[in-house]
Amino acid sequence: DQQVKQNSPSLSVQEGRISILNCDYTNSMFDYFLWYKKYPAEGPTFLISISSIKDKNEDGRFTVFLNKSAKHLSLHIVPSQPGDSAVYFCAARAYNNNDMRFGAGTRLTVKP
Amino acid sequence: DTGVSQDPRHKITKRGQNVTFRCDPISEHNRLYWYRQTLGQGPEFLTYFQNEAQLEKSRLLSDRFSAERPKGSFSTLEIQRTEQGDSAMYLCASSPPGTGGSPLHFGNGTRLTVT
């Protein structure tokens, strides 16, 4: 059962524009959400997170938005840079549960 | 900053052979996780240790798989009688003590190819 879904396998944007990556989840017990970035031949690297008590968290060029009623979160990158080109994974975890669930990933390509 | 270290980076083995992977977590992290990732998918949870105790195992972890963390530091993942379906990237991650929101810190993985 895929509890975390990233329905767009790929996204291409122009340098300087905004990148918006989307993620949907089905488990209402999830209360902690994360985004990871993965370059080829490397493990996923933590990018930004948000707890369910918030609807927005910002860190530099990266902002994560959480819409609990829609069970949807998104990652905004602005302005996008070529170095942001990577696979982005959405992940979620329920309180006191050690099983962090990941989406299938979205490959972002930022064109110069 | 010595991150999570995994060894080997790549392993090619013949079907039916046993393989063992090692993970060294970040030193102050008492929580250690094993994940498996196949092409086009996100990481899938396999098992979790808190210190030396294995507290959770996914049903994905068949009885051919065994993981240990004998002294609460490094961990090993062994796959016995490998099958072609075991070909995947095996990722180890660690996180510090505490509850709630702590991100996992991943190693660069061990890529297993079963021929």
Side-chain angles (χ1 to χ4, degrees):
Chain A
D1 63 346
Q2 195 171 5
Q3 298 185 19
V4 179
K5 296 180 182 180
Q6 294 176 256
N7 293 319
S8 298
S10 64
L11 174 68
S12 181
V13 299
Q14 207 66 34
E15 181 179 6
R17 299 289 189 99
I18 185 171
S19 296
I20 300 176
L21 297 99
N22 294 302
C23 177
D24 297 293
Y25 62 95
T26 57
N27 188 342
S28 57
M29 299 301 291
F30 287 150
D31 66 348
Y32 181 55
F33 304 89
L34 309 91
W35 285 93
Y36 282 82
K37 180 169 72 173
K38 186 181 183 303
Y39 293 119
E42 295 183 9
T45 302
F46 169 69
L47 195 57
I48 192 169
S49 64
I50 187 167
S51 76
S52 59
I53 62 173
K54 295 185 175 181
D55 54 17
K56 176 183 174 181
N57 188 25
E58 192 171 352
D59 183 1
R61 297 185 297 112
F62 303 91
T63 303
V64 55
F65 295 92
L66 175 63
N67 182 334
K68 284 174 290 187
S69 60
K71 294 191 177 68
H72 177 85
L73 65 157
S74 60
L75 175 68
H76 293 209
I77 307 173
V78 57
S80 301
Q81 300 173 353
D84 296 330
S85 297
V87 177
Y88 288 78
F89 291 102
C90 169
R93 185 169 65 197
Y95 178 74
N96 267 350
N97 188 320
N98 298 295
D99 179 358
M100 187 175 288
R101 299 293 183 107
F102 286 79
T106 297
R107 180 177 300 279
L108 173 66
T109 303
V110 180
K111 297 181 178 178
Chain B
D1 175 23
T2 54
V4 177
S5 177
Q6 291 189 246
D7 184 69
R9 289 296 307 275
H10 304 274
K11 178 70 178 179
I12 300 173
T13 191
K14 292 186 177 179
R15 188 176 54 189
Q17 298 295 303
N18 299 346
V19 294
T20 301
F21 311 140
R22 177 181 170 122
C23 171
D24 288 89
I26 294 172
S27 57
E28 61 268 26
H29 288 185
N30 68 332
R31 300 179 177 201
L32 187 146
Y33 308 77
W34 284 98
Y35 279 77
R36 180 173 68 187
Q37 185 180 12
T38 54
L39 196 62
Q41 300 298 316
E44 294 176 296
F45 172 80
L46 292 178
T47 191
Y48 160 71
F49 289 85
Q50 186 166 310
N51 301 311
E52 66 276 6
Q54 187 174 21
L55 298 184
E56 283 189 49
K57 289 168 59 173
S58 165
R59 60 179 182 273
L60 292 175
L61 209 67
S62 79
D63 56 7
R64 296 184 297 106
F65 287 68
S66 62
E68 293 183 344
R69 195 183 182 196
K71 297 181 180 178
S73 55
F74 73 91
S75 175
T76 58
L77 178 68
E78 181 183 17
I79 309 174
Q80 295 182 328
R81 305 181 303 281
T82 52
E83 302 173 356
Q84 287 186 322
D86 297 332
S87 295
M89 174 74 80
Y90 289 85
L91 293 163
C92 177
S94 68
S95 68
T99 59
S102 293
L104 304 185
H105 299 260
F106 283 90
N108 287 330
T110 294
R111 180 168 295 285
L112 173 66
T113 302
V114 182
T115 62

